Amino acid sequence: MTQNYSIVPPHLTVKAMRDNGYKNAAYAIAELIDNSIQAGATQVELLCAEKEIFLEQRKVSRIHEIAVLDNGCGMDQNILRIALQFGNGTYLDEDKHTGIGRFGMGLPTSSVSQCRHVDVWSWQNGPENALYSYLDIDEIIAGKQAEVPVPEPRRIPLHWLRIGKAFSKSGTLVVWSRFDRCIWKTAKAIIENSEFLIGRIYRRFLDKDKVAIRMVAFNLDQPDKIEIDKYALPNDPLYLMPRTSCPEPYHDKPMFEKYGDDVTIKVQFKGKEHEVKIRFAYAKEEARRQPNAGSTPYGKHAAKNVGVSIMRADRELELDQSWVIEYDPRERWWGVEVDFPPSLDELFGVTNNKQAARNFSELAKIDIDELLKDRTIVEAKRELEEEQDPRAPLIEIAHRIGKNLSVLREIIKAQTRNQRRQRHEISDAERVATDITKRRKEEGFRGQTDEDELKPAETRKQEISESLKQEGISVDIAEDLAARTIDNGLKYLFVEAAIETSAFFTVKLKGGSIEIVLNTNHPAYDKLIEVLEEDVENATPDELKQRLKNALEALKLMLMSWARYEDEQPDGRRRTQLQDIRSDWGRIAREFLNGKN
């Protein structure tokens, strides 16, 4: 037996290629669609054929073959053979890096990531004149297939000709079989899981009608028994397109609105100037108006589109979640899109399976404020360039994204506050505090607001309403809150407002009531109040756990800040006064909290 001393033995190479990092079958299928679009196809079809098998003494349908059919330019014998080679292709030269293709890895690598056998038919003069070749994992490992078989004329199987509508004068049909790595076992599961991703990756092509992507699920033994036959709709994570897969009422109108104009940043790389464009969007007020908007079908759709969309040659590489606050469900309500040309692949760190831009993702970890200090972004960029820091050309992009995301998050927070005001409900805490205050009054403790309780109810409502309006609350909401407070005999009322003070909250005594105004500008509001109130119904257990952890940390920091405040008092008398205040407040707090039980 002759020992193989190849630098890279073929059987080990192909095993490595099978582990090329495709996240799932949908991403692998996208590689084939890339090839179709690069070949000028206007029609692409994802055809999923099932067969019934016996599994534990019962019949079940299982995926048997997956095909991608297109009406592109087709391939001659030489190009078809090259297309089935690992690492080869027709778009490898740098001057050809202008479209979707580049790496020469797509067809063979994506195919073997899911299955053990791939067949390819391609034609340039009608499907009846198709050329055929294939790859087979078992043959390669056994040493029986050392090179791509020479393409030869072969008829396309009848079932594909019956199902496919994209057969034209020229085109290509790629068929996968003998699946051993596809996690989805049925045609329906493959299409349902691929539809969302494919719609997002190719949204610009679909939106501009440059390509139509048909998805079909059928039974191989009964080709006329078609379970699914549909066309992919655009899936826009910025929700600015008018016709998308977003559920009603935003299936035919944008759910978001643009924030500012598109930003164009000029990047110097390899002696040439390139343009990177950034677009920002956020949810319209009307989309957030419904209580628990996150639990609506369109809210759940947005929850699956969280992140910064990385676009290359009109095709999305990934939805990068490095920029996302994971525990905050409000992140679904903003969108950011970064668009760069293929000539910047190396700078952005595009992976060979076109699923990520690694260098760009690293930008999210940069502390821009620490990097800038007292310098402008231009000065910081110049210093990084002098130090030959590879991040230098991209630092301005990170700065602009971080700056605008901060603004978008504030806009979204303001929407959240408006919704809570509109659906303000009397809480148990307000009732408990009112009952305990009544008991304290009976025990002889008097407050400044107690005498105002004798005023006529309408007068008290007017005083409270006017006070709320001064905090920026709308007339309707202010009058409604005032009426509910008085009509329900409540002593306390919580409101939220952006106050120009360093205080976390202020206390206003109006109309016989005690208004606690939470300062939404104070960081304690975000870390203690809003993080616990926002969209609890739709938060996952991990999100809730993280939010509770953050709130606990914030509470500890608040208490430590008070302790430090006492410590910094210049004389013992003042320190003693603060300790007495802390003790007195603690006694009343204990009474209020015990009353809750």
mmCIF file of all heavy atoms in Angstrom, residues 258-302:
data_model
loop_
_atom_site.group_PDB
_atom_site.id
_atom_site.type_symbol
_atom_site.label_atom_id
_atom_site.label_comp_id
_atom_site.label_asym_id
_atom_site.label_seq_id
_atom_site.Cartn_x
_atom_site.Cartn_y
_atom_site.Cartn_z
ATOM 1 N N LYS A 258 -36.433 57.485 8.848
ATOM 2 C CA LYS A 258 -35.001 57.757 8.807
ATOM 3 C C LYS A 258 -34.614 58.771 9.872
ATOM 4 O O LYS A 258 -35.370 59.687 10.181
ATOM 5 C CB LYS A 258 -34.595 58.291 7.432
ATOM 6 C CG LYS A 258 -34.498 57.238 6.343
ATOM 7 C CD LYS A 258 -33.960 57.832 5.051
ATOM 8 C CE LYS A 258 -32.512 58.259 5.205
ATOM 9 N NZ LYS A 258 -31.923 58.716 3.924
ATOM 10 N N TYR A 259 -33.419 58.597 10.407
ATOM 11 C CA TYR A 259 -32.857 59.588 11.320
ATOM 12 C C TYR A 259 -31.744 60.316 10.569
ATOM 13 O O TYR A 259 -30.679 59.743 10.293
ATOM 14 C CB TYR A 259 -32.300 58.925 12.578
ATOM 15 C CG TYR A 259 -31.561 59.908 13.469
ATOM 16 C CD1 TYR A 259 -32.247 60.880 14.172
ATOM 17 C CD2 TYR A 259 -30.173 59.875 13.562
ATOM 18 C CE1 TYR A 259 -31.574 61.794 14.962
ATOM 19 C CE2 TYR A 259 -29.485 60.779 14.349
ATOM 20 C CZ TYR A 259 -30.203 61.742 15.042
ATOM 21 O OH TYR A 259 -29.527 62.651 15.813
ATOM 22 N N GLY A 260 -32.009 61.562 10.213
ATOM 23 C CA GLY A 260 -31.013 62.354 9.506
ATOM 24 C C GLY A 260 -30.777 61.848 8.090
ATOM 25 O O GLY A 260 -31.474 60.971 7.579
ATOM 26 N N ASP A 261 -29.778 62.419 7.451
ATOM 27 C CA ASP A 261 -29.408 62.006 6.096
ATOM 28 C C ASP A 261 -28.406 60.861 6.159
ATOM 29 O O ASP A 261 -27.757 60.625 7.175
ATOM 30 C CB ASP A 261 -28.783 63.190 5.346
ATOM 31 C CG ASP A 261 -29.772 64.334 5.143
ATOM 32 O OD1 ASP A 261 -30.976 64.051 4.975
ATOM 33 O OD2 ASP A 261 -29.340 65.504 5.185
ATOM 34 N N ASP A 262 -28.286 60.148 5.046
ATOM 35 C CA ASP A 262 -27.264 59.107 4.967
ATOM 36 C C ASP A 262 -25.885 59.736 5.164
ATOM 37 O O ASP A 262 -25.608 60.826 4.647
ATOM 38 C CB ASP A 262 -27.312 58.419 3.605
ATOM 39 C CG ASP A 262 -28.582 57.591 3.414
ATOM 40 O OD1 ASP A 262 -29.367 57.494 4.368
ATOM 41 O OD2 ASP A 262 -28.771 57.062 2.314
ATOM 42 N N VAL A 263 -25.046 59.042 5.916
ATOM 43 C CA VAL A 263 -23.701 59.541 6.210
ATOM 44 C C VAL A 263 -22.712 58.862 5.260
ATOM 45 O O VAL A 263 -22.724 57.640 5.116
ATOM 46 C CB VAL A 263 -23.310 59.244 7.670
ATOM 47 C CG1 VAL A 263 -21.864 59.669 7.937
ATOM 48 C CG2 VAL A 263 -24.265 59.950 8.625
ATOM 49 N N THR A 264 -21.879 59.660 4.603
ATOM 50 C CA THR A 264 -20.833 59.113 3.729
ATOM 51 C C THR A 264 -19.477 59.424 4.330
ATOM 52 O O THR A 264 -19.156 60.585 4.602
ATOM 53 C CB THR A 264 -20.921 59.713 2.314
ATOM 54 O OG1 THR A 264 -22.193 59.372 1.740
ATOM 55 C CG2 THR A 264 -19.816 59.149 1.428
ATOM 56 N N ILE A 265 -18.687 58.378 4.567
ATOM 57 C CA ILE A 265 -17.347 58.532 5.133
ATOM 58 C C ILE A 265 -16.337 58.032 4.106
ATOM 59 O O ILE A 265 -16.459 56.910 3.598
ATOM 60 C CB ILE A 265 -17.218 57.752 6.456
ATOM 61 C CG1 ILE A 265 -18.156 58.358 7.509
ATOM 62 C CG2 ILE A 265 -15.774 57.778 6.964
ATOM 63 C CD1 ILE A 265 -18.166 57.617 8.825
ATOM 64 N N LYS A 266 -15.366 58.860 3.822
ATOM 65 C CA LYS A 266 -14.329 58.500 2.846
ATOM 66 C C LYS A 266 -13.176 57.806 3.583
ATOM 67 O O LYS A 266 -12.653 58.336 4.559
ATOM 68 C CB LYS A 266 -13.845 59.735 2.101
ATOM 69 C CG LYS A 266 -14.948 60.405 1.275
ATOM 70 C CD LYS A 266 -14.419 61.526 0.425
ATOM 71 C CE LYS A 266 -15.547 62.223 -0.347
ATOM 72 N NZ LYS A 266 -16.278 61.316 -1.232
ATOM 73 N N VAL A 267 -12.815 56.634 3.098
ATOM 74 C CA VAL A 267 -11.801 55.796 3.733
ATOM 75 C C VAL A 267 -10.623 55.613 2.778
ATOM 76 O O VAL A 267 -10.816 55.236 1.617
ATOM 77 C CB VAL A 267 -12.385 54.422 4.122
ATOM 78 C CG1 VAL A 267 -11.294 53.513 4.649
ATOM 79 C CG2 VAL A 267 -13.498 54.577 5.143
ATOM 80 N N GLN A 268 -9.432 55.887 3.272
ATOM 81 C CA GLN A 268 -8.215 55.657 2.486
ATOM 82 C C GLN A 268 -7.702 54.246 2.771
ATOM 83 O O GLN A 268 -7.488 53.877 3.912
ATOM 84 C CB GLN A 268 -7.139 56.682 2.855
ATOM 85 C CG GLN A 268 -7.487 58.119 2.517
ATOM 86 C CD GLN A 268 -7.535 58.375 1.021
ATOM 87 O OE1 GLN A 268 -6.853 57.696 0.243
ATOM 88 N NE2 GLN A 268 -8.338 59.350 0.607
ATOM 89 N N PHE A 269 -7.524 53.455 1.691
ATOM 90 C CA PHE A 269 -7.040 52.088 1.864
ATOM 91 C C PHE A 269 -6.280 51.671 0.614
ATOM 92 O O PHE A 269 -6.786 51.780 -0.501
ATOM 93 C CB PHE A 269 -8.221 51.144 2.112
ATOM 94 C CG PHE A 269 -7.830 49.728 2.406
ATOM 95 C CD1 PHE A 269 -7.093 49.426 3.552
ATOM 96 C CD2 PHE A 269 -8.178 48.691 1.554
ATOM 97 C CE1 PHE A 269 -6.729 48.115 3.828
ATOM 98 C CE2 PHE A 269 -7.830 47.383 1.822
ATOM 99 C CZ PHE A 269 -7.086 47.103 2.970
ATOM 100 N N LYS A 270 -5.052 51.219 0.825
ATOM 101 C CA LYS A 270 -4.176 50.784 -0.262
ATOM 102 C C LYS A 270 -4.033 51.853 -1.345
ATOM 103 O O LYS A 270 -4.072 51.566 -2.549
ATOM 104 C CB LYS A 270 -4.682 49.471 -0.861
ATOM 105 C CG LYS A 270 -4.527 48.279 0.073
ATOM 106 C CD LYS A 270 -4.848 46.975 -0.626
ATOM 107 C CE LYS A 270 -4.557 45.780 0.278
ATOM 108 N NZ LYS A 270 -4.837 44.491 -0.378
ATOM 109 N N GLY A 271 -3.875 53.103 -0.882
ATOM 110 C CA GLY A 271 -3.616 54.201 -1.807
ATOM 111 C C GLY A 271 -4.815 54.695 -2.579
ATOM 112 O O GLY A 271 -4.674 55.539 -3.465
ATOM 113 N N LYS A 272 -6.008 54.183 -2.257
ATOM 114 C CA LYS A 272 -7.211 54.615 -2.963
ATOM 115 C C LYS A 272 -8.262 55.105 -1.961
ATOM 116 O O LYS A 272 -8.237 54.729 -0.790
ATOM 117 C CB LYS A 272 -7.792 53.475 -3.800
ATOM 118 C CG LYS A 272 -6.893 53.012 -4.940
ATOM 119 C CD LYS A 272 -7.563 51.895 -5.727
ATOM 120 C CE LYS A 272 -6.665 51.407 -6.864
ATOM 121 N NZ LYS A 272 -7.316 50.302 -7.638
ATOM 122 N N GLU A 273 -9.154 55.943 -2.451
ATOM 123 C CA GLU A 273 -10.238 56.445 -1.606
ATOM 124 C C GLU A 273 -11.510 55.653 -1.884
ATOM 125 O O GLU A 273 -11.883 55.423 -3.042
ATOM 126 C CB GLU A 273 -10.481 57.933 -1.887
ATOM 127 C CG GLU A 273 -11.501 58.560 -0.952
ATOM 128 C CD GLU A 273 -11.626 60.059 -1.156
ATOM 129 O OE1 GLU A 273 -12.361 60.468 -2.083
ATOM 130 O OE2 GLU A 273 -10.983 60.814 -0.410
ATOM 131 N N HIS A 274 -12.159 55.216 -0.814
ATOM 132 C CA HIS A 274 -13.378 54.423 -0.925
ATOM 133 C C HIS A 274 -14.461 55.068 -0.064
ATOM 134 O O HIS A 274 -14.167 55.732 0.931
ATOM 135 C CB HIS A 274 -13.141 52.988 -0.455
ATOM 136 C CG HIS A 274 -11.922 52.349 -1.038
ATOM 137 N ND1 HIS A 274 -11.964 51.533 -2.151
ATOM 138 C CD2 HIS A 274 -10.611 52.410 -0.667
ATOM 139 C CE1 HIS A 274 -10.748 51.117 -2.428
ATOM 140 N NE2 HIS A 274 -9.905 51.637 -1.548
ATOM 141 N N GLU A 275 -15.714 54.840 -0.422
ATOM 142 C CA GLU A 275 -16.831 55.413 0.335
ATOM 143 C C GLU A 275 -17.556 54.345 1.144
ATOM 144 O O GLU A 275 -17.864 53.260 0.631
ATOM 145 C CB GLU A 275 -17.828 56.102 -0.601
ATOM 146 C CG GLU A 275 -17.312 57.403 -1.192
ATOM 147 C CD GLU A 275 -18.393 58.154 -1.953
ATOM 148 O OE1 GLU A 275 -19.484 57.568 -2.165
ATOM 149 O OE2 GLU A 275 -18.160 59.321 -2.317
ATOM 150 N N VAL A 276 -17.811 54.686 2.396
ATOM 151 C CA VAL A 276 -18.635 53.852 3.268
ATOM 152 C C VAL A 276 -19.863 54.670 3.643
ATOM 153 O O VAL A 276 -19.729 55.818 4.094
ATOM 154 C CB VAL A 276 -17.873 53.424 4.538
ATOM 155 C CG1 VAL A 276 -18.793 52.628 5.466
ATOM 156 C CG2 VAL A 276 -16.648 52.602 4.169
ATOM 157 N N LYS A 277 -21.038 54.104 3.447
ATOM 158 C CA LYS A 277 -22.271 54.832 3.735
ATOM 159 C C LYS A 277 -22.970 54.212 4.945
ATOM 160 O O LYS A 277 -23.014 52.993 5.096
ATOM 161 C CB LYS A 277 -23.194 54.821 2.517
ATOM 162 C CG LYS A 277 -22.613 55.581 1.329
ATOM 163 C CD LYS A 277 -23.581 55.617 0.156
ATOM 164 C CE LYS A 277 -22.976 56.417 -1.001
ATOM 165 N NZ LYS A 277 -23.888 56.480 -2.174
ATOM 166 N N ILE A 278 -23.519 55.089 5.780
ATOM 167 C CA ILE A 278 -24.224 54.641 6.987
ATOM 168 C C ILE A 278 -25.614 55.264 7.002
ATOM 169 O O ILE A 278 -25.777 56.455 6.730
ATOM 170 C CB ILE A 278 -23.474 55.048 8.272
ATOM 171 C CG1 ILE A 278 -21.978 54.723 8.162
ATOM 172 C CG2 ILE A 278 -24.070 54.339 9.487
ATOM 173 C CD1 ILE A 278 -21.165 55.236 9.323
ATOM 174 N N ARG A 279 -26.590 54.444 7.330
ATOM 175 C CA ARG A 279 -27.977 54.916 7.389
ATOM 176 C C ARG A 279 -28.559 54.543 8.750
ATOM 177 O O ARG A 279 -28.286 53.459 9.282
ATOM 178 C CB ARG A 279 -28.800 54.267 6.270
ATOM 179 C CG ARG A 279 -30.276 54.627 6.269
ATOM 180 C CD ARG A 279 -31.000 53.953 5.125
ATOM 181 N NE ARG A 279 -30.527 54.460 3.836
ATOM 182 C CZ ARG A 279 -30.987 54.036 2.668
ATOM 183 N NH1 ARG A 279 -31.902 53.083 2.613
ATOM 184 N NH2 ARG A 279 -30.535 54.543 1.545
ATOM 185 N N PHE A 280 -29.359 55.442 9.305
ATOM 186 C CA PHE A 280 -29.954 55.237 10.628
ATOM 187 C C PHE A 280 -31.483 55.362 10.538
ATOM 188 O O PHE A 280 -32.008 56.147 9.745
ATOM 189 C CB PHE A 280 -29.435 56.277 11.624
ATOM 190 C CG PHE A 280 -27.941 56.252 11.808
ATOM 191 C CD1 PHE A 280 -27.115 57.040 11.014
ATOM 192 C CD2 PHE A 280 -27.355 55.453 12.773
ATOM 193 C CE1 PHE A 280 -25.741 57.024 11.171
ATOM 194 C CE2 PHE A 280 -25.978 55.425 12.936
ATOM 195 C CZ PHE A 280 -25.175 56.211 12.135
ATOM 196 N N ALA A 281 -32.185 54.578 11.364
ATOM 197 C CA ALA A 281 -33.647 54.635 11.390
ATOM 198 C C ALA A 281 -34.144 54.267 12.784
ATOM 199 O O ALA A 281 -33.428 53.618 13.562
ATOM 200 C CB ALA A 281 -34.243 53.692 10.349
ATOM 201 N N TYR A 282 -35.358 54.689 13.085
ATOM 202 C CA TYR A 282 -35.971 54.331 14.378
ATOM 203 C C TYR A 282 -37.475 54.222 14.203
ATOM 204 O O TYR A 282 -38.048 54.732 13.244
ATOM 205 C CB TYR A 282 -35.631 55.362 15.458
ATOM 206 C CG TYR A 282 -36.169 56.755 15.196
ATOM 207 C CD1 TYR A 282 -37.359 57.185 15.770
ATOM 208 C CD2 TYR A 282 -35.493 57.640 14.358
ATOM 209 C CE1 TYR A 282 -37.856 58.441 15.540
ATOM 210 C CE2 TYR A 282 -35.972 58.909 14.118
ATOM 211 C CZ TYR A 282 -37.164 59.309 14.710
ATOM 212 O OH TYR A 282 -37.662 60.561 14.457
ATOM 213 N N ALA A 283 -38.123 53.537 15.129
ATOM 214 C CA ALA A 283 -39.550 53.243 15.019
ATOM 215 C C ALA A 283 -40.385 54.516 15.070
ATOM 216 O O ALA A 283 -40.111 55.437 15.832
ATOM 217 C CB ALA A 283 -39.981 52.303 16.140
ATOM 218 N N LYS A 284 -41.425 54.531 14.253
ATOM 219 C CA LYS A 284 -42.372 55.636 14.304
ATOM 220 C C LYS A 284 -43.144 55.584 15.623
ATOM 221 O O LYS A 284 -43.346 54.508 16.199
ATOM 222 C CB LYS A 284 -43.354 55.537 13.135
ATOM 223 C CG LYS A 284 -42.730 55.742 11.765
ATOM 224 C CD LYS A 284 -43.782 55.581 10.673
ATOM 225 C CE LYS A 284 -43.189 55.805 9.295
ATOM 226 N NZ LYS A 284 -44.195 55.591 8.217
ATOM 227 N N GLU A 285 -43.588 56.743 16.056
ATOM 228 C CA GLU A 285 -44.356 56.823 17.307
ATOM 229 C C GLU A 285 -45.590 55.927 17.234
ATOM 230 O O GLU A 285 -45.952 55.267 18.214
ATOM 231 C CB GLU A 285 -44.771 58.278 17.560
ATOM 232 C CG GLU A 285 -45.465 58.505 18.892
ATOM 233 C CD GLU A 285 -44.488 58.654 20.052
ATOM 234 O OE1 GLU A 285 -43.433 59.270 19.869
ATOM 235 O OE2 GLU A 285 -44.817 58.141 21.140
ATOM 236 N N GLU A 286 -46.235 55.862 16.074
ATOM 237 C CA GLU A 286 -47.463 55.079 15.943
ATOM 238 C C GLU A 286 -47.211 53.588 16.157
ATOM 239 O O GLU A 286 -48.084 52.862 16.637
ATOM 240 C CB GLU A 286 -48.088 55.296 14.567
ATOM 241 C CG GLU A 286 -47.251 54.769 13.414
ATOM 242 C CD GLU A 286 -47.877 55.027 12.061
ATOM 243 O OE1 GLU A 286 -48.070 56.200 11.714
ATOM 244 O OE2 GLU A 286 -48.160 54.051 11.359
ATOM 245 N N ALA A 287 -46.002 53.106 15.804
ATOM 246 C CA ALA A 287 -45.680 51.697 15.977
ATOM 247 C C ALA A 287 -45.514 51.331 17.437
ATOM 248 O O ALA A 287 -45.704 50.172 17.822
ATOM 249 C CB ALA A 287 -44.410 51.348 15.205
ATOM 250 N N ARG A 288 -45.160 52.322 18.258
ATOM 251 C CA ARG A 288 -44.958 52.075 19.697
ATOM 252 C C ARG A 288 -46.207 52.382 20.510
ATOM 253 O O ARG A 288 -46.224 52.167 21.726
ATOM 254 C CB ARG A 288 -43.814 52.952 20.225
ATOM 255 C CG ARG A 288 -42.515 52.902 19.469
ATOM 256 C CD ARG A 288 -41.701 51.673 19.750
ATOM 257 N NE ARG A 288 -41.594 51.290 21.125
ATOM 258 C CZ ARG A 288 -40.756 51.822 22.016
ATOM 259 N NH1 ARG A 288 -39.927 52.778 21.643
ATOM 260 N NH2 ARG A 288 -40.719 51.382 23.253
ATOM 261 N N ARG A 289 -47.238 52.923 19.861
ATOM 262 C CA ARG A 289 -48.403 53.438 20.592
ATOM 263 C C ARG A 289 -49.203 52.332 21.246
ATOM 264 O O ARG A 289 -49.791 52.524 22.300
ATOM 265 C CB ARG A 289 -49.279 54.244 19.621
ATOM 266 C CG ARG A 289 -50.315 55.129 20.301
ATOM 267 C CD ARG A 289 -50.934 56.075 19.280
ATOM 268 N NE ARG A 289 -49.959 57.051 18.816
ATOM 269 C CZ ARG A 289 -49.921 57.561 17.582
ATOM 270 N NH1 ARG A 289 -50.797 57.157 16.690
ATOM 271 N NH2 ARG A 289 -49.015 58.446 17.253
ATOM 272 N N GLN A 290 -49.226 51.172 20.615
ATOM 273 C CA GLN A 290 -50.002 50.068 21.179
ATOM 274 C C GLN A 290 -49.334 49.535 22.439
ATOM 275 O O GLN A 290 -48.115 49.349 22.470
ATOM 276 C CB GLN A 290 -50.126 48.942 20.150
ATOM 277 C CG GLN A 290 -50.971 47.767 20.627
ATOM 278 C CD GLN A 290 -51.243 46.792 19.502
ATOM 279 O OE1 GLN A 290 -51.304 47.184 18.354
ATOM 280 N NE2 GLN A 290 -51.416 45.522 19.839
ATOM 281 N N PRO A 291 -50.115 49.293 23.514
ATOM 282 C CA PRO A 291 -49.519 48.727 24.729
ATOM 283 C C PRO A 291 -48.773 47.427 24.428
ATOM 284 O O PRO A 291 -49.244 46.599 23.651
ATOM 285 C CB PRO A 291 -50.743 48.481 25.630
ATOM 286 C CG PRO A 291 -51.768 49.451 25.144
ATOM 287 C CD PRO A 291 -51.549 49.558 23.663
ATOM 288 N N ASN A 292 -47.585 47.285 25.033
ATOM 289 C CA ASN A 292 -46.752 46.102 24.799
ATOM 290 C C ASN A 292 -46.540 45.848 23.306
ATOM 291 O O ASN A 292 -46.771 44.754 22.789
ATOM 292 C CB ASN A 292 -47.382 44.867 25.448
ATOM 293 C CG ASN A 292 -47.487 45.005 26.947
ATOM 294 O OD1 ASN A 292 -46.575 45.496 27.603
ATOM 295 N ND2 ASN A 292 -48.614 44.589 27.504
ATOM 296 N N ALA A 293 -46.072 46.899 22.627
ATOM 297 C CA ALA A 293 -45.858 46.795 21.176
ATOM 298 C C ALA A 293 -44.906 45.661 20.841
ATOM 299 O O ALA A 293 -44.990 45.070 19.760
ATOM 300 C CB ALA A 293 -45.317 48.122 20.635
ATOM 301 N N GLY A 294 -43.990 45.337 21.753
ATOM 302 C CA GLY A 294 -43.037 44.262 21.497
ATOM 303 C C GLY A 294 -43.688 42.906 21.365
ATOM 304 O O GLY A 294 -43.109 41.988 20.775
ATOM 305 N N SER A 295 -44.893 42.726 21.894
ATOM 306 C CA SER A 295 -45.572 41.429 21.835
ATOM 307 C C SER A 295 -46.463 41.299 20.601
ATOM 308 O O SER A 295 -47.046 40.252 20.375
ATOM 309 C CB SER A 295 -46.417 41.218 23.093
ATOM 310 O OG SER A 295 -47.454 42.186 23.181
ATOM 311 N N THR A 296 -46.572 42.362 19.807
ATOM 312 C CA THR A 296 -47.361 42.297 18.578
ATOM 313 C C THR A 296 -46.587 41.488 17.525
ATOM 314 O O THR A 296 -45.373 41.320 17.635
ATOM 315 C CB THR A 296 -47.625 43.701 18.025
ATOM 316 O OG1 THR A 296 -46.365 44.320 17.697
ATOM 317 C CG2 THR A 296 -48.364 44.558 19.042
ATOM 318 N N PRO A 297 -47.275 40.989 16.491
ATOM 319 C CA PRO A 297 -46.547 40.270 15.429
ATOM 320 C C PRO A 297 -45.431 41.099 14.816
ATOM 321 O O PRO A 297 -44.334 40.580 14.556
ATOM 322 C CB PRO A 297 -47.652 39.954 14.416
ATOM 323 C CG PRO A 297 -48.897 39.842 15.238
ATOM 324 C CD PRO A 297 -48.746 40.897 16.308
ATOM 325 N N TYR A 298 -45.679 42.395 14.592
ATOM 326 C CA TYR A 298 -44.611 43.210 14.001
ATOM 327 C C TYR A 298 -43.503 43.479 15.011
ATOM 328 O O TYR A 298 -42.329 43.604 14.635
ATOM 329 C CB TYR A 298 -45.163 44.516 13.417
ATOM 330 C CG TYR A 298 -45.784 45.500 14.388
ATOM 331 C CD1 TYR A 298 -45.000 46.347 15.157
ATOM 332 C CD2 TYR A 298 -47.173 45.612 14.508
ATOM 333 C CE1 TYR A 298 -45.565 47.261 16.032
ATOM 334 C CE2 TYR A 298 -47.748 46.514 15.373
ATOM 335 C CZ TYR A 298 -46.949 47.336 16.135
ATOM 336 O OH TYR A 298 -47.504 48.249 17.011
ATOM 337 N N GLY A 299 -43.832 43.534 16.299
ATOM 338 C CA GLY A 299 -42.803 43.696 17.330
ATOM 339 C C GLY A 299 -41.915 42.475 17.433
ATOM 340 O O GLY A 299 -40.696 42.587 17.612
ATOM 341 N N LYS A 300 -42.521 41.297 17.312
ATOM 342 C CA LYS A 300 -41.739 40.052 17.345
ATOM 343 C C LYS A 300 -40.875 39.924 16.091
ATOM 344 O O LYS A 300 -39.772 39.376 16.148
ATOM 345 C CB LYS A 300 -42.688 38.855 17.476
ATOM 346 C CG LYS A 300 -43.401 38.802 18.833
ATOM 347 C CD LYS A 300 -44.378 37.645 18.903
ATOM 348 C CE LYS A 300 -45.071 37.602 20.258
ATOM 349 N NZ LYS A 300 -46.070 36.506 20.332
ATOM 350 N N HIS A 301 -41.381 40.414 14.972
ATOM 351 C CA HIS A 301 -40.598 40.420 13.731
ATOM 352 C C HIS A 301 -39.354 41.284 13.922
ATOM 353 O O HIS A 301 -38.233 40.884 13.574
ATOM 354 C CB HIS A 301 -41.469 40.972 12.597
ATOM 355 C CG HIS A 301 -40.899 40.801 11.225
ATOM 356 N ND1 HIS A 301 -39.958 41.659 10.692
ATOM 357 C CD2 HIS A 301 -41.149 39.866 10.259
ATOM 358 C CE1 HIS A 301 -39.656 41.269 9.456
ATOM 359 N NE2 HIS A 301 -40.358 40.182 9.171
ATOM 360 N N ALA A 302 -39.539 42.462 14.514
ATOM 361 C CA ALA A 302 -38.409 43.380 14.753
ATOM 362 C C ALA A 302 -37.403 42.779 15.721
ATOM 363 O O ALA A 302 -36.200 43.042 15.619
ATOM 364 C CB ALA A 302 -38.928 44.714 15.275
#
